[in-house]
Amino acid sequence: MIDDVIRNAADFDLISREERDILVGKKDDDGDGSEENNGVVHKVSHVVERSDIARLLLMYTEGGFYLDADRLVSKSMKDVIPRPSTTRMCLPTFNDVNFCQDLICSSRGNDLFLDMIKEASKIRVAAKRRNGWIKGGGLFDLGPVLYNQQILMRVFGGDEETHDKCRDDFLLAREMIVADSDEIIITTKESSCNDGLLMDEASLPECYGREDLFDAYGMTPWAVEVDALWDNA
């Protein structure tokens, strides 16, 4: 599904054909893209890079809620968004350190996400790669760093002094959103898995960690495998 989202985005000129090929590989002229006839050059980007851009593309073209797979929901949507006719976006923070990227909601056609897609394209096309993968730091720049930079620029305007204050003090950023957005944007501080926009502590008294999930499915944190490829090549 992720690769289909990326290919469709190139068909509708949201990303370039060059970027599509960087992300999902390039079909040979005599192939149909299947592994059986070697129709794809298998030097595709890391799945984290593909999922990050697919998430932005879907938020822009479809809108709605995006949640990471380890996210839980216990609250009713009417409690999460009490004024659905007014609210157009949610921007919770993670411990007031940055804006959450594992929980996103927005109306369709939000230009904030189009800006993110365009900025990501500039970084992606110019990035150095090894077997199709960007180094770990570059992947991080395309994810949380880009996401937070674009929010600060779009939501808080072109004032660099305000950007600096909000980047250093996300409590202040949330207070400004509450004071100035009239619930067009909703925000809250997410302090743990059972205390945030979609969950409350009463429904999940004890929190959980990702380690058990990784062990159950034989998963490795993405930074480990990316760094290993670059270190060992």
Side-chain angles (χ1 to χ4, degrees):
M1 177 184 175
I2 289 175
D3 291 356
D4 289 339
V5 169
I6 293 168
R7 292 190 180 98
N8 288 339
D11 290 341
F12 287 95
D13 295 325
L14 288 173
I15 62 173
S16 68
R17 271 61 173 174
E18 178 187 7
E19 187 175 3
R20 174 201 63 195
D21 294 344
I22 289 171
L23 287 163
V24 300
K26 185 177 181 180
K27 292 183 180 180
D28 295 333
D29 292 338
D30 58 349
D32 65 2
S34 65
E35 293 185 17
E36 289 77 8
N37 67 11
N38 296 317
V40 169
V41 177
H42 289 287
K43 288 189 177 180
V44 300
S45 64
H46 192 276
V47 66
V48 168
E49 184 177 357
R50 284 180 281 142
S51 62
D52 277 349
I53 188 62
R55 168 172 46 197
L56 297 180
L57 290 165
L58 286 171
M59 292 308 300
Y60 178 67
T61 58
E62 302 294 333
F65 270 86
Y66 167 84
L67 306 176
D68 270 8
D70 59 353
R71 277 282 191 166
L72 300 177
V73 180
S74 67
K75 294 180 181 178
S76 166
M77 283 297 105
K78 67 181 181 181
D79 295 326
V80 175
I81 304 179
R83 295 174 59 191
S85 62
T86 299
T87 300
R88 293 291 177 266
M89 190 175 187
C90 60
L91 286 176
T93 72
F94 171 70
N95 271 329
D96 282 347
V97 173
N98 57 27
F99 289 108
C100 296
Q101 200 185 9
D102 60 349
L103 166 55
I104 305 172
C105 77
S106 176
S107 57
R108 179 188 302 178
N110 186 337
D111 283 345
L112 169 62
F113 294 101
L114 183 59
D115 288 347
M116 291 180 184
I117 292 165
K118 291 178 177 178
E119 288 301 314
S121 296
K122 297 175 186 177
I123 300 171
R124 192 182 332 279
V125 171
K128 293 182 179 179
R129 295 177 179 272
R130 183 161 290 171
N131 291 341
W133 290 6
I134 297 177
K135 203 168 184 180
L139 271 180
F140 190 75
D141 288 344
L142 281 167
V145 174
L146 175 74
Y147 183 74
N148 279 270
Q149 285 176 343
Q150 291 299 309
I151 289 173
L152 289 171
M153 291 176 61
R154 264 284 182 169
V155 175
F156 299 100
D159 185 343
E160 291 188 10
E161 183 178 352
T162 302
H163 292 177
D164 292 341
K165 288 180 179 178
C166 292
R167 184 177 59 245
D168 296 336
D169 186 351
F170 276 83
L171 172 58
L172 171 64
R174 287 194 296 110
E175 290 174 343
M176 291 177 65
I177 290 172
V178 171
D180 298 336
S181 75
D182 194 26
E183 293 189 37
I184 293 175
I185 303 173
I186 58 174
T187 184
T188 189
K189 176 184 176 181
E190 303 247 328
S191 57
S192 65
C193 75
N194 60 358
D195 180 21
L197 188 66
L198 302 179
M199 288 289 296
D200 56 66
E201 190 171 359
S203 61
L204 188 69
E206 295 186 11
C207 212
Y208 60 88
R210 295 183 177 182
E211 291 77 11
D212 291 341
L213 180 67
F214 285 172
D215 290 343
Y217 290 93
M219 298 165 62
T220 303
W222 64 262
V224 174
E225 61 181 6
V226 171
D227 289 344
L229 181 145
W230 276 81
D231 292 342
N232 297 329

